[in-house]
């Protein structure tokens, strides 16, 4: 338990420090060209949507992109409204992780640390601040990796497994459990992977597994919310939007759990694939449904002082 606590504290410390370095480096490096590129990528909701989808699929982490979006808004590189499309896209991009074998982030960390550290010391002028941003990203990925690997042993604790087994076919409890587990593991993909095993072994039914997936998407917002505590109000609204988006999706699809499970069974495939398909359908449909309501959501969130 002490090891888990230390991993949590160190992980959060690295996360906040990495965000600080990333934000400072971007602010120092940002010129008109970089700002124009960010604005072009997020100039419209659909551009932000596709940019968020592709970036998250490449990073294999919606949490990383969400934290970066919070950092971009906090540093003034993009506006609050322009970041919302990125968040919608990140929810779709993260489904790649459950459908394909995720590329490990660990090999990237030492190279990013090396390039960032040496670049900051030896690169000329503004480029040294871009290297500093690379160093901040390295700390960010290191933090996410530390949080996930440090918390992962909880999933192997017999008592935790027993609690999951006792859920049986209780859907609402499944959402709550998925939220808590994803918040602890700091990864909806890790939670979904665990749920795949539980459903395949028959410990929980497919509808309950889908409820876990809904909760996992809510719980994965925890990291961005924590990271936003040290940012300005606009950046905090981005993190809040991410939470509300996943809550909206869970509430929207909760009444249709059983029909959705029957549909996935009709599509066929192993139970683990059905759970992965549920993760994909949930994120794709909830993001597409939420897209027309972005202006309204932005206006409502901007009223929060």
């Amino acid at each position: 338990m002490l090891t888990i606590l230390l991993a949590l504290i160190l992980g959060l410390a690295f996360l906040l420090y990495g965000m600080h370095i990333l934000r400072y480096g971007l602010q120092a490096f940002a010129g008109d060209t970089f700002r124009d590129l960010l604005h072009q990528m997020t100039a419209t909701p659909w551009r932000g949507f596709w940019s968020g989808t592709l970036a998250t699929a490449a990073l294999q982490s919606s949490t990383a992109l969400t934290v970066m979006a919070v950092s971009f808004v906090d540093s003034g590189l993009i506006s609050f409204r322009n970041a919302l499309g990125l968040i919608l896209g990140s929810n779709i991009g993260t489904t790649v992780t459950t459908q394909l074998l995720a590329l490990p982030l660990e090999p990237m960390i030492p190279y990013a640390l090396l390039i960032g550290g040496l670049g900051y010391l030896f690169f000329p002028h503004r480029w040294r601040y871009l290297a500093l941003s690379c160093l901040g990203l390295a700390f960010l990925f290191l933090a996410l990796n530390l949080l996930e690997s440090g918390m992962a042993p909880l999933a192997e604790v017999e008592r935790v497994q027993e609690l999951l087994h006792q859920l049986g076919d209780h859907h609402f409890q499944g959402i709550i459990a998925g939220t808590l587990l994803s918040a602890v593991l700091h990864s909806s993909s890790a939670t979904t992977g665990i749920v795949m095993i539980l459903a395949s072994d028959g410990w929980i039914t497919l509808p309950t597994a889908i409820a876990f997936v809904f909760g996992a998407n809510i719980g994965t917002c925890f990291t961005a919310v924590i990271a936003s505590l040290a940012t300005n109000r606009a950046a905090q609204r981005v993190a809040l939007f991410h939470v509300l988006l996943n809550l909206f999706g869970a509430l929207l699809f909760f009444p249709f759990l059983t029909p959705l499970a029957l549909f996935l069974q009709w599509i066929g495939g192993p139970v683990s694939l059905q759970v992965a398909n549920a993760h994909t359908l949930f994120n794709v449909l909830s993001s597409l449904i939420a897209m027309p309501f972005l202006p309204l959501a932005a206006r409502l969130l901007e009223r929060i002082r």
Side-chain angles (χ1 to χ4, degrees):
M1 187 58 68
L2 180 60
T3 303
I4 294 175
L5 183 61
L6 286 174
L8 177 61
I9 294 173
L10 287 175
L12 291 176
F14 273 123
L15 179 69
L16 294 173
Y17 185 61
M19 272 200 63
H20 173 73
I21 295 178
L22 175 62
R23 181 168 61 245
Y24 175 76
L26 288 173
Q27 286 177 324
F29 174 77
D32 292 337
T33 302
F34 187 57
R35 289 178 185 271
D36 290 344
L37 177 61
L38 285 173
H39 282 293
Q40 289 172 10
M41 288 175 61
T42 59
T44 67
W46 280 109
R47 285 190 186 181
F49 177 84
W50 291 116
S51 297
T53 299
L54 295 175
T56 304
L59 293 173
Q60 293 290 303
S61 174
S62 63
T63 302
L65 186 70
T66 303
V67 171
M68 288 168 64
V70 170
S71 179
F72 290 157
V73 173
D74 186 48
S75 61
L77 293 176
I78 59 177
S79 69
F80 157 69
R81 286 175 175 257
N82 288 354
L84 299 188
L86 284 175
I87 301 299
L88 289 181
S90 72
N91 267 23
I92 295 179
T94 193
T95 61
V96 175
T97 308
T98 56
Q99 295 290 343
L100 303 172
L101 291 176
L103 296 175
L105 293 176
E106 292 91 335
M108 298 170 56
I109 295 174
Y111 294 110
L113 288 171
L114 185 64
I115 293 173
L118 293 179
Y120 183 68
L121 292 175
F122 299 110
F123 282 2
H125 307 301
R126 284 173 48 213
W127 292 102
R128 66 196 301 259
Y129 294 107
L130 184 61
L132 186 64
S133 297
C134 182
L135 187 64
L137 279 175
F139 277 117
L140 191 154
F141 285 126
L142 182 63
L144 295 176
N145 181 260
L146 181 61
L147 287 169
E148 184 173 343
S149 61
M151 299 297 105
L154 282 179
E156 301 174 3
V157 175
E158 185 177 352
R159 179 57 180 164
V160 174
Q161 296 282 355
E162 290 176 358
L163 289 174
L164 294 175
H165 181 59
Q166 289 172 5
L167 287 173
D169 198 27
H170 300 289
H171 303 162
F172 185 71
Q173 289 89 329
I175 291 181
I176 295 175
T179 300
L180 295 175
L181 186 58
S182 183
V184 169
L185 296 179
H186 292 267
S187 172
S188 62
S189 299
T191 302
T192 303
I194 295 170
V195 172
M196 287 180 185
I197 297 173
L198 295 174
S200 297
D201 292 344
W203 286 23
I204 57 176
T205 65
L206 182 59
T208 303
I210 296 173
F212 259 90
V213 170
F214 293 173
N217 279 271
I218 298 172
T220 195
C221 303
F222 176 78
T223 306
V225 170
I226 292 295
S228 71
L229 295 180
T231 62
N232 61 31
R233 186 66 70 186
Q236 290 172 358
R237 291 188 186 114
V238 174
L240 178 59
F241 173 76
H242 193 212
V243 176
L244 294 176
L245 172 65
N246 288 301
L247 280 174
F248 162 78
L251 292 173
L252 181 66
F253 286 99
F254 183 72
F256 306 103
L257 267 177
T258 301
L260 180 58
L262 292 174
F263 173 71
L264 293 169
Q265 289 172 336
W266 176 75
I267 293 178
V271 175
S272 59
L273 179 60
Q274 294 173 23
V275 175
N277 289 338
H279 185 249
T280 300
L281 280 174
F282 171 78
N283 284 285
V284 171
L285 292 178
S286 60
S287 291
L288 290 176
I289 292 171
M291 177 64 76
F293 300 99
L294 275 187
L296 176 61
R299 288 196 297 271
L300 291 175
L301 287 171
E302 283 173 342
R303 292 182 180 179
I304 299 175
R305 300 299 178 186

